[in-house]
Amino acid sequence: MKALVTKLVSSNAGVAALALRVPVGLTLAAHGAQKLFAWFGGYGLEGTGQYMASLGLEPGFLMALLAGSAEFFGGLALALGLLTRPAAAVSAFTMLIAIFSAHIQNGLFLSNGGYEYALVLFAVTVSLAITGAGRLAVDNVIARALTTK
């Protein structure tokens, strides 16, 4: 088990992963805060739940809670570099759901409600799931603690 966790948190990605992780993590956290808490002009769980139900994602309230939590907590974890690979994988899955349930029918471009933005977030989170946290991450502290014991 220790070897699995060590492999999960270890990364040689350098500063490139840091440059992706922090802004994307904060962006995801802000979008999650819109869904969960109605911050930043969002609709909160009730409004987001109604929207998700209108897309066929039922029960809407639960789907809003799951998506908002994945974005908010996953985004914070990415920004901190805490369990980066699992946080990135959950975020990537959330973006896939967003692409295929809410945006694909509108085409590529965001100006038409398309999926380009969610696709970029998906690509970055897949990259982070593969490479790990890189520099200046809580994952590095965890990895060092596991290898010194």
Side-chain angles (χ1 to χ4, degrees), residues 2-28:
K2 181 178 168 183
L4 174 66
V5 174
T6 301
K7 189 170 183 127
L8 189 70
V9 297
S10 297
S11 174
N12 294 322
V15 294
L18 174 68
L20 289 174
R21 177 168 65 69
V22 173
V24 168
L26 293 175
T27 299
L28 283 167

Side-chain angles (χ1 to χ4, degrees), residues 6-143:
T6 301
K7 189 170 183 127
L8 189 70
V9 297
S10 297
S11 174
N12 294 322
V15 294
L18 174 68
L20 289 174
R21 177 168 65 69
V22 173
V24 168
L26 293 175
T27 299
L28 283 167
H31 278 272
Q34 288 180 311
K35 290 174 180 69
L36 293 175
F37 313 119
W39 294 353
F40 312 117
Y43 298 105
L45 284 172
E46 197 62 42
T48 304
Q50 290 172 4
Y51 172 69
M52 289 193 167
S54 77
L55 296 174
L57 297 171
E58 294 279 359
F61 186 89
L62 177 62
M63 295 299 114
L65 180 63
L66 291 172
S69 295
E71 290 176 0
F72 183 72
F73 295 110
L76 291 178
L78 288 177
L80 293 170
L82 174 63
L83 300 174
T84 301
R85 285 187 172 99
V90 168
S91 297
F93 179 75
T94 303
M95 289 305 103
L96 271 183
I97 300 301
I99 289 168
F100 288 107
S101 65
H103 301 291
I104 197 83
Q105 69 278 4
N106 299 322
L108 175 64
F109 296 106
L110 184 62
S111 59
N112 297 325
Y115 59 89
E116 72 176 318
Y117 181 67
L119 180 63
V120 170
L121 292 175
F122 172 75
V124 171
T125 53
V126 166
S127 175
L128 290 169
I130 294 167
T131 64
R135 298 246 176 145
L136 297 175
V138 175
D139 282 353
N140 297 328
V141 174
I142 296 169

